Amino acid sequence: MTVYSQHANRGKTQILATYQGSDGVVSKTVTSLSDARLAAPIVDVLNRISAFATVPVSIHDSRERPGGYYPSKHVAALTDDAARADLLNGAHSLWYEYVCLRLHQALADLESHLVALPDTVSRAIRSELELEERDLRAGLADFTGTSSGDEPEVERHWEFGHPFVKHDDGLRTLSNETREQLDRREGGLAAKEQAEAVSHLRVLVTAHSHTDAMWASLDDPSCQLFAEPFDSDGFYLTVQAPELGGNNSSWEVEIGRWEPDDPDEEYGEHTSATGNSVVLCTLPAAPETHEIVHLLKVVDEKPLLLAQWAATPVGTSLEGTTLAVTKRFDS
């Protein structure tokens, strides 16, 4: 629906909303701030919110299931606190629930930013979200033929298949590649298994969102988190959710190490390397988000702990944790 930007004007920084109007592309001022450093995070989070709200209702659900379109229930979360809480409930599909989770995180980020802003600015931004929701709903009603005809005039136009948004959030949440990956992941899952997969996704994605200080990536948002802190001497850690519908039914924490493909090279000098598993910890129960966050922060603060943990014998817990090694991959 809308692309947000900032613009310096007469000693202040304006936050601009740019959208498709009845006469073409329009830019209007949402609010002004005296400090550009306060405007930048607001612009970023507004772009994320706009994209997460708009893209799911602008594309076809291409899974081999009846329906054709993604739900629009998440749109209410732009202005309704109860609807925001509901973003964390549901199991429509892995990709849709992933977007809902990221929208929930973006809205929470916005609220944390608004605390530091004057009331007039906060009110202007909340009014902006109200306008965004109203016009998006009007566009959806017209598209689905449910419009009553007495709605207020639409200022921002929405057209299915052409979301006017900026949606690079760094995690490729809204990319076709991510959507197809998650669609393949849930293929063949029964309803109960799909609900479990969504639950696993929420744990991993939320844990990842709390580990900004280290290099950690969601190799697959629904099943694996990979972390290789700087100065870890080639060791890395993965947190793996169960393979639903497969042979692995437990959460696992694994420590591995990159080994040079050329045996005459030392780690750090090679041009190519292969990751090899060293130790595996099979968890007796699903971890809580805060447990994963703690684990990742520990290795971020002390990267060489990974090398120490990699020497742990089977049956012994990794030092400073309750994770017991259940398998070693060396002799």
Side-chain angles (χ1 to χ4, degrees):
M1 281 289 284
T2 308
V3 174
Y4 295 92
S5 60
Q6 63 185 76
H7 175 69
N9 183 42
R10 298 182 180 181
K12 290 193 173 185
T13 299
Q14 294 177 319
I15 295 178
L16 302 178
T18 301
Y19 50 88
Q20 292 280 1
S22 56
D23 297 322
V25 176
V26 178
S27 287
K28 285 191 176 180
T29 301
V30 175
T31 187
S32 296
L33 288 163
S34 57
D35 190 340
R37 291 172 298 179
L38 294 175
I42 296 294
V43 167
D44 173 70
V45 76
L46 285 175
N47 275 319
R48 286 156 53 203
I49 290 169
S50 176
F52 294 145
T54 305
V55 171
V57 296
S58 303
I59 56 177
H60 286 283
D61 182 354
S62 58
R63 296 174 303 149
E64 294 181 1
R65 302 187 182 192
Y69 301 110
Y70 287 97
S72 59
K73 67 169 190 174
H74 63 280
V75 176
L78 297 183
T79 58
D80 185 340
D81 288 342
R84 291 184 185 183
D86 196 44
L87 290 172
L88 302 181
N89 299 309
H92 173 273
S93 62
L94 280 172
W95 181 78
Y96 179 70
E97 301 305 336
Y98 181 29
V99 175
C100 285
L101 173 58
R102 300 285 290 128
L103 176 58
H104 185 276
Q105 292 172 337
L107 289 165
D109 288 346
L110 178 63
E111 291 300 326
S112 67
H113 293 318
L114 292 183
V115 170
L117 301 180
D119 287 345
T120 52
V121 173
S122 296
R123 286 197 297 271
I125 291 172
R126 295 187 198 283
S127 295
E128 170 65 18
L129 292 183
E130 290 173 1
L131 181 58
E132 185 86 339
E133 181 196 4
R134 188 199 74 185
D135 284 359
L136 182 52
R137 284 194 181 282
L140 287 167
D142 183 61
F143 177 70
T144 57
T146 58
S147 175
S148 63
D150 57 357
E151 285 89 355
E153 183 180 353
V154 174
E155 182 176 334
R156 304 177 185 193
H157 290 255
W158 168 86
E159 183 180 350
F160 183 84
H162 299 281
F164 189 71
V165 292
K166 180 180 182 298
H167 60 78
D168 179 12
D169 68 334
L171 292 180
R172 298 179 59 81
T173 300
L174 298 172
S175 71
N176 287 335
E177 180 184 358
T178 297
R179 182 159 61 107
E180 290 166 2
Q181 179 187 44
L182 293 176
D183 287 350
R184 288 193 300 270
R185 174 77 172 156
E186 72 175 62
L189 295 181
K192 182 179 179 181
E193 291 176 322
Q194 181 166 311
E196 288 182 59
V198 170
S199 177
H200 298 163
L201 178 147
R202 290 187 180 122
V203 170
L204 290 172
V205 175
T206 304
H208 178 267
S209 73
H210 286 86
T211 54
D212 297 336
M214 68 179 302
W215 186 64
S217 62
L218 290 162
D219 281 3
D220 180 334
S222 66
C223 71
Q224 182 171 283
L225 195 154
F226 174 90
E228 183 183 8
F230 179 73
D231 244 2
S232 64
D233 195 26
F235 287 94
Y236 57 84
L237 177 145
T238 61
V239 180
Q240 182 85 30
E243 183 182 347
L244 297 175
N247 297 322
N248 175 24
S249 59
S250 301
W251 282 79
E252 296 176 340
V253 173
E254 181 181 291
I255 297 171
R257 194 183 192 195
W258 297 108
E259 299 291 349
D261 292 335
D262 183 344
D264 294 327
E265 291 183 334
E266 295 290 334
Y267 176 76
E269 300 175 355
H270 54 273
T271 55
S272 63
T274 300
N276 292 312
S277 302
V278 182
V279 299
L280 178 71
C281 302
T282 300
L283 309 190
E288 299 287 340
T289 296
H290 68 86
E291 294 174 312
I292 299 176
V293 171
H294 175 71
L295 181 68
L296 296 176
K297 286 187 175 180
V298 165
V299 297
D300 182 37
E301 294 168 359
K302 299 179 180 179
L304 290 179
L305 262 180
L306 289 176
Q308 183 177 333
W309 287 349
T312 306
V314 171
T316 304
S317 295
L318 305 181
E319 183 175 334
T321 79
T322 59
L323 302 176
V325 174
T326 52
K327 184 177 180 180
R328 293 193 60 87
F329 295 88
D330 56 16
S331 57

